[in-house]
Amino acid sequence: MKARFAAILSLLGAGFIAGIGTTIFLELGLYDLSALSPHNELERQLIMFLKNNAIEYQSGDIKAPALNDRERIKKGFALYEVQCKVCHGAPGEPRGRVSTGLNPNPPPLFKADDHWSSGELGWIIQNGLKMAGMPGVGIGQTDDDIWNIVSYVKRMNTLSVAEYKAMKKALKDGVDPPGLEWEFPEEGWKKLKNYSASEGKVLLKKLGCASCHSIPGIKAQNTHAGPSLKEWKNRHFIAGQVANYPKSLVKWLMHPEKIDPTTLMPNLDVTEEQAWKMSAYLMSLEE
Amino acid sequence: MLVKIIVIFFMAGCQVKQVDTLEVLPGATSIERGKRLTFSYGCAVCHEISGINDYPGNIGPSLVNWGKQKYIAGAVPNRMPELILWLKNPQAIQKNSAMPNLNMTEEEASDIATYLYSQ
């Protein structure tokens, strides 16, 4: 009886002290409110945890329409340019002056399709996110407009800087420049499964790739001439210009100079077969 | 957990000072200013950078141990003047770069470069 009484009393005491402490803290204005000062890591992790769970739960039953549609992506692009670019930027273009210094920093959306389902993207754009600076874009717009934006956000996952420039030109001129593909491209993930990652690893070793790039699993005297390729599958851009998916990686490995004329990465005369094998190994590198 | 959160909030509070100037970090070193600017320009939303965590952070190459890197954008030597030029106007070095021109001042670019080399 005595022990239980002591336990309750100390719990109450601890609660009381925590309450007083919090009150003093809030009263004195000691919380660092400057948007130029980052959240500490614990706060940041808590916010991300809450955000991911709330969006997953609250968007539970949303069914997306067919999104890989030329007209949808075109309309979505036009809406994105006016409404979203000011905070989220575009390939090679910054967010606007008005959103510089925002905390949290609005994320670039190139990877959004990897992280969120179509329904979740629709929910986020429609409702916005409290305390994140993300407005509920659904106000004053039809559901169809929202799905058009979702289509384009999904297209951003494979969008190169050159394609983005072509889309801008198409929007301005009202005519598509030759060769511009609005729809999601065939990325080649299925084809990649036919190639051996271990044979690719041998090729990367033989061609001396690791003397410029740090490559997990391949030991070499790395000169740090090129970027590290650790967790390569998760990286978005190749040479800062084209989106990273199997087909584009194969092109880059075969003819780097065709994608970036100023690159120091040499053309090593690799065959298409070899490039697919090397891609199989590089795409196997993730966390 | 709750106690931990309260403690962290107090610790965060301890860094807050009353100021008499608009300067964001009065008396700070170039590295300290650079770190703050690197966060506020959102560099870490695309790049992995020591000391700054942001989301998603895997759009461009990792900048951890940046001082060891030989080249910028696979095109020009990685030295202070070239890095400042790159930060101010990436398209001057790589025409089709996805890295945006963020309209930063010379001083800001210099502080950010100093921070990147200090990692």
Side-chain angles (χ1 to χ4, degrees):
Chain A
M1 200 62 198
K2 219 175 172 184
R4 189 182 293 175
F5 183 70
I8 292 173
L9 203 68
S10 49
L11 264 176
L12 280 173
F16 182 70
I17 291 167
I20 296 234
T22 310
T23 310
I24 291 173
F25 173 70
L26 295 174
E27 185 74 29
L28 290 179
L30 289 177
Y31 181 75
D32 187 353
L33 203 58
S34 166
L36 299 181
S37 155
H39 287 296
N40 68 54
E41 192 51 22
L42 181 71
E43 258 182 296
R44 204 181 76 85
Q45 295 288 348
L46 273 172
I47 295 167
M48 298 280 276
F49 185 62
L50 175 115
K51 181 180 93 168
N52 287 336
N53 293 333
I55 293 169
E56 189 186 337
Y57 176 66
Q58 289 167 45
S59 66
D61 291 327
I62 301 176
K63 297 271 177 298
L67 296 172
N68 191 8
D69 175 271
R70 190 172 177 278
E71 285 312 306
R72 253 197 203 292
I73 296 169
K74 238 177 144 163
K75 284 181 192 157
F77 171 71
L79 290 169
Y80 181 96
E81 283 291 291
V82 178
Q83 301 180 15
C84 315
K85 196 168 106 178
V86 64
C87 286
H88 291 287
E93 294 193 12
R95 53 177 155 160
R97 178 66 248 166
V98 72
S99 69
T100 303
L102 253 184
N103 187 352
N105 282 304
L109 301 182
F110 307 115
K111 287 277 188 196
D113 186 43
D114 294 345
H115 193 89
W116 307 105
S117 70
S118 301
E120 287 170 336
L121 285 172
W123 189 92
I124 296 168
I125 297 169
Q126 175 82 4
N127 292 280
L129 301 172
K130 241 182 227 171
M131 298 179 287
M134 170 75 192
V137 176
I139 291 294
Q141 298 196 91
T142 64
D143 289 0
D144 223 35
D145 286 335
I146 300 300
W147 290 122
N148 292 342
I149 299 173
V150 174
S151 313
Y152 174 66
V153 168
K154 288 172 78 76
R155 177 67 175 85
M156 284 178 88
N157 197 253
T158 49
L159 192 65
S160 71
V161 177
E163 283 174 321
Y164 170 70
K165 286 182 177 170
M167 286 181 178
K168 263 179 81 171
K169 193 165 162 17
L171 184 67
K172 195 168 144 250
D173 301 348
V175 195
D176 285 3
L180 172 60
E181 304 276 354
W182 287 91
E183 291 93 342
F184 309 157
E186 168 56 42
E187 296 176 41
W189 290 105
K190 229 173 156 184
K191 187 174 174 183
L192 191 72
K193 288 201 183 114
N194 302 326
Y195 296 91
S196 149
S198 54
E199 284 176 42
K201 187 178 173 181
V202 173
L203 278 166
L204 287 161
K205 222 182 217 170
K206 214 169 86 189
L207 291 169
C209 304
S211 58
C212 288
H213 300 281
S214 144
I215 307 175
I218 301 178
K219 273 193 199 135
Q221 286 290 344
N222 181 7
T223 62
H224 299 279
S228 160
L229 305 184
K230 72 170 175 156
E231 294 166 26
W232 176 257
K233 189 184 179 214
N234 304 329
R235 263 278 291 290
H236 185 73
F237 279 113
I238 300 172
Q241 305 195 20
V242 297
N244 176 29
Y245 52 90
K247 272 196 164 176
S248 61
L249 185 56
V250 165
K251 264 191 214 160
W252 168 254
L253 292 170
M254 291 175 71
H255 300 288
E257 74 289 348
K258 281 193 185 163
I259 288 173
D260 181 3
T262 58
T263 187
L264 288 162
M265 166 118 161
N267 181 330
L268 294 170
D269 279 328
V270 296
T271 64
E272 191 176 339
E273 170 95 11
Q274 289 173 326
W276 276 98
K277 286 177 183 168
M278 288 153 78
S279 300
Y281 183 70
L282 293 172
M283 289 301 195
S284 75
L285 304 172
E286 47 185 331
E287 275 165 283
Chain B
M1 190 67 169
L2 185 68
V3 174
K4 205 171 164 194
I5 293 170
I6 291 167
V7 169
I8 297 261
F9 267 51
F10 272 99
M11 278 161 54
C14 293
Q15 293 159 11
V16 177
K17 288 185 216 132
Q18 282 182 300
V19 292
D20 54 8
T21 160
L22 266 186
E23 234 180 300
V24 176
L25 294 168
T29 63
S30 180
I31 293 179
E32 288 163 341
R33 284 195 310 269
K35 183 175 183 184
R36 192 54 74 88
L37 288 163
T38 304
F39 165 72
S40 290
Y41 270 112
C43 308
V45 300
C46 285
H47 300 282
E48 182 190 12
I49 299 172
S50 306
I52 303 171
N53 287 323
D54 219 330
Y55 176 81
N58 54 3
I59 306 297
S62 165
L63 305 184
V64 174
N65 290 324
W66 175 250
K68 279 193 187 160
Q69 202 64 36
K70 281 232 177 82
Y71 298 100
I72 300 168
V76 295
N78 179 18
R79 294 181 299 226
M80 192 68 166
E82 283 86 353
L83 183 56
I84 291 175
L85 175 65
W86 169 255
L87 289 168
K88 286 176 68 188
N89 186 2
Q91 282 68 29
I93 287 169
Q94 195 187 28
K95 193 174 138 259
N96 260 353
S97 177
M99 168 132 156
N101 178 337
L102 294 164
N103 288 311
M104 55 180 76
T105 65
E106 180 83 21
E107 291 73 28
E108 289 174 331
S110 163
D111 286 341
I112 290 174
T114 306
Y115 179 67
L116 292 177
Y117 285 127
S118 80
Q119 291 178 93

